[in-house]
């Protein structure tokens, strides 16, 4: 499940819990597109504290959307990931190496407020 969470106007923010399905992207993608329509550059925050799994269709949808945005990755200035799981930190670090134009950081669960502050500061 993915739910939108309150964030500054230039940030698309989500809380991910349990198993993510392809249908969850019906909320995520329009929220990101709305932010991109309103701002030249945005930040993305994903609270993955309770994330467990992702269906194959969800992974496919995620990759399709990501590939469709390759020419716009420079607009995604910062990505904040909230998680205490080591594998999520490793995946985020790898993503940062593949897409160096996106400043991606992982924050522990107790630093959610700092993560939101950091991701919104994209001047």
């Amino acid at each position: 499940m993915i739910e939108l969470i309150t964030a500054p106007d230039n940030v698309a923010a989500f809380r991910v819990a349990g198993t993510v399905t392809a249908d969850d992207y019906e909320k995520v993608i329009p929220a990101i597109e709305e932010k991109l329509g309103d701002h030249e550059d945005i930040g993305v925050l994903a609270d993955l504290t309770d994330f467990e799994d992702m269906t194959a269709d969800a992974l496919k949808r995620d990759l399709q959307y990501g590939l469709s945005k390759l020419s716009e990755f420079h607009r995604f200035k910062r990505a904040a990931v909230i998680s205490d799981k080591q594998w999520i930190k490793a995946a985020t670090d790898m993503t940062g190496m593949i897409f160096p134009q996106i400043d991606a950081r992982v924050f522990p669960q107790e630093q959610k407020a700092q993560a939101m502050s950091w991701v919104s500061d994209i001047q």
Side-chain angles (χ1 to χ4, degrees):
M1 172 198 76
I2 301 176
E3 68 177 323
L4 304 175
I5 57 176
T6 303
D9 194 50
N10 64 337
V11 176
F14 310 96
R15 187 176 76 78
V16 182
T19 299
V20 174
T21 68
D23 289 342
D24 288 317
Y25 285 88
E26 299 308 314
K27 290 183 277 188
V28 172
I29 292 171
I32 293 171
E33 290 299 316
E34 181 179 341
K35 298 292 182 176
L36 289 170
D38 294 342
H39 301 278
E40 183 60 32
D41 300 319
I42 67 168
V44 177
L45 180 137
D47 182 348
L48 302 180
T49 304
D50 298 317
F51 173 65
E52 294 174 10
D53 199 5
M54 176 179 237
T55 67
D57 286 341
L59 180 59
K60 179 181 174 185
R61 187 69 182 111
D62 186 68
L63 291 172
Q64 285 173 331
Y65 182 67
L67 290 173
S68 78
K69 302 312 276 184
L70 280 177
S71 66
E72 295 185 76
F73 269 18
H74 65 280
R75 297 182 65 195
F76 296 82
K77 294 298 184 190
R78 289 187 171 176
V81 176
I82 300 167
S83 179
D84 293 323
K85 296 174 181 152
Q86 188 58 40
W87 72 269
I88 290 177
K89 181 175 181 353
T92 302
D93 290 345
M94 187 170 44
T95 300
M97 290 187 301
I98 296 169
F99 302 105
Q101 66 271 43
I102 301 172
D103 189 2
R105 294 188 188 174
V106 177
F107 293 82
Q109 187 174 352
E110 65 272 5
Q111 291 183 4
K112 287 181 183 181
Q114 293 94 321
M116 187 67 78
S117 177
W118 176 81
V119 77
S120 67
D121 187 22
I122 55 173
Q123 306 307 328

